[in-house]
Amino acid sequence: MKNLTPSQMNHLTKHTLFYPDRLSVASELSMDVTWNAGAVANLIRSKCVDGKSPTFLFLGEREATMLSEHLAKVFGVESVVTLNGTYYMGLNVRTIRCERFFAIGGSKTTHASRKVEWAPPIRTGDPPQRPAL
């Protein structure tokens, strides 16, 4: 890369998706046997800050297999041909060549229209009583 002109370097930077290096980026979540959708959702929520949310879900081979099996249970085996081009919980899924890895990265602006500010808070406890007929 030493012989690239500034224009070529700018083009390379703009048009190349840099995948995380599993040796320099620590895996953020460890799953034992099955896909843990709740843990993934919690990690995504923890990364949403100041109107920005993550863009990519980077998975190693084991995690990619677990996600495929999870999606096959939910949507049927025939609907999960590949994870390439798949979005999971709003994140673009990217597999990397290593046995085990899980990381969330990138940044996108969250749209204000997705916020439902007019909705009343969800109450917990006893359900409302129905009037007698």
Side-chain angles (χ1 to χ4, degrees):
M1 282 203 199
K2 290 194 296 189
N3 299 330
L4 295 177
T5 66
S7 174
Q8 290 170 323
M9 194 64 156
N10 187 29
H11 177 78
L12 181 66
T13 303
K14 281 184 180 178
H15 300 287
T16 304
L17 176 63
F18 293 98
Y19 286 80
D21 174 7
R22 68 180 180 85
L23 300 175
S24 62
V25 176
S27 191
E28 297 177 303
L29 189 61
S30 178
M31 294 187 219
D32 293 325
V33 179
T34 59
W35 187 258
N36 186 339
V40 174
N42 288 337
L43 183 59
I44 293 170
R45 277 189 215 98
S46 74
K47 298 242 178 193
C48 295
V49 181
D50 297 328
K52 294 189 184 269
S53 63
T55 307
F56 297 102
L57 175 58
F58 297 104
L59 301 175
E61 293 168 1
R62 184 167 186 240
E63 289 75 11
T65 300
M66 286 192 285
L67 176 57
S68 295
E69 290 169 354
H70 170 72
L71 294 174
K73 284 179 190 173
V74 175
F75 299 109
V77 176
E78 64 281 350
S79 64
V80 185
V81 178
T82 180
L83 288 179
N84 293 334
T86 300
Y87 281 80
Y88 181 74
M89 293 189 182
L91 303 180
N92 190 337
V93 177
R94 301 291 179 158
T95 56
I96 60 173
R97 292 183 192 158
C98 69
E99 185 180 341
R100 296 185 75 173
F101 188 77
F102 186 101
I104 292 175
S107 179
K108 63 184 173 186
T109 304
T110 352
H111 298 287
S113 61
R114 290 186 185 171
K115 263 185 156 175
V116 183
E117 295 180 15
W118 53 265
I122 298 172
R123 292 180 33 193
T124 58
D126 296 330
Q129 299 295 318
R130 290 187 172 173
L133 296 176

